[in-house]
Amino acid sequence: MLKHIIVVYYSWSGNTAKAAREIAAQAHVSPIELTVADDTFSADMYATATIAQHQIETDTLPQLTNVMPSVSPDDIVLVGGPVWHHSVATPVRQFLRQIAGFKGIIAPFYTHTGTPGTYEAEIAQLIPTAQVKSGLAVDRQTTTPQILQWLKTVAA
């Protein structure tokens, strides 16, 4: 049976959006952006990291403002977001919370400015029922052939 690929992402600065669009294009699907209220985060990267850390510590994740797709065990969910303070961005955490119990395949992709920290391990902890595949760290040097290779390993 063919797996259905879903590309879901949150982008604070536009970097993850660019990556998501390229990944979705190579997978021949339309990406789905996770959105939150406009006043949820600051325009300042460091202030946003502080806000996100507080959201994690107090378990007050931001509400997503758009409708999310339903997922089935036959799906491959490619979930992307920025690394914030070495962690999974809170809108991505909220999405994973919404699909709790998902038993299909999840593969993270992420953008970062230095180190991804424990991003991939956190994804596995946040959705332990899923089969979490190796992720793709995306930066300005990531090429289309690298994305295609990653997609092949995810779908294998």
Side-chain angles (χ1 to χ4, degrees), residues 1-155:
M1 172 181 263
L2 282 175
K3 298 281 188 176
H4 178 243
I5 295 176
I6 300 169
V7 177
V8 179
Y9 72 95
Y10 174 77
S11 187
W12 176 79
S13 68
N15 290 331
T16 307
K18 182 178 175 186
R21 287 190 298 268
E22 178 63 17
I23 289 166
Q26 297 309 316
H28 307 291
V29 299
S30 296
I32 301 165
E33 183 177 10
L34 303 172
T35 59
V36 296
D38 289 340
D39 63 348
T40 303
F41 299 112
S42 170
D44 177 81
M45 178 175 70
Y46 300 105
T48 293
T50 300
I51 292 165
Q53 192 63 33
H54 181 262
Q55 291 172 339
I56 292 168
E57 290 169 359
T58 60
D59 195 31
T60 54
L61 300 179
Q63 292 302 308
L64 301 176
T65 58
N66 55 329
V67 177
M68 289 297 99
S70 59
V71 294
S72 78
D74 293 324
D75 292 333
I76 298 173
V77 178
L78 308 178
V79 61
V83 176
W84 285 349
H85 196 65
H86 309 290
S87 296
V88 176
T90 55
V92 174
R93 288 172 178 268
Q94 181 67 290
F95 170 72
L96 295 175
R97 182 177 281 176
Q98 288 183 4
I99 63 166
F102 174 63
K103 292 182 169 99
I105 295 171
I106 288 195
F109 62 95
Y110 47 93
T111 55
H112 60 89
T113 59
T115 176
T118 58
Y119 195 93
E120 291 185 43
E122 279 187 45
I123 294 285
Q125 289 173 347
L126 292 167
I127 190 132
T129 56
Q131 177 187 355
V132 180
K133 298 274 189 150
S134 291
L136 177 67
V138 180
D139 60 25
R140 289 185 177 105
Q141 285 75 43
T142 302
T143 64
T144 299
Q146 288 171 311
I147 290 170
L148 287 169
Q149 183 59 39
W150 176 68
L151 287 171
K152 285 180 189 174
T153 64
V154 167

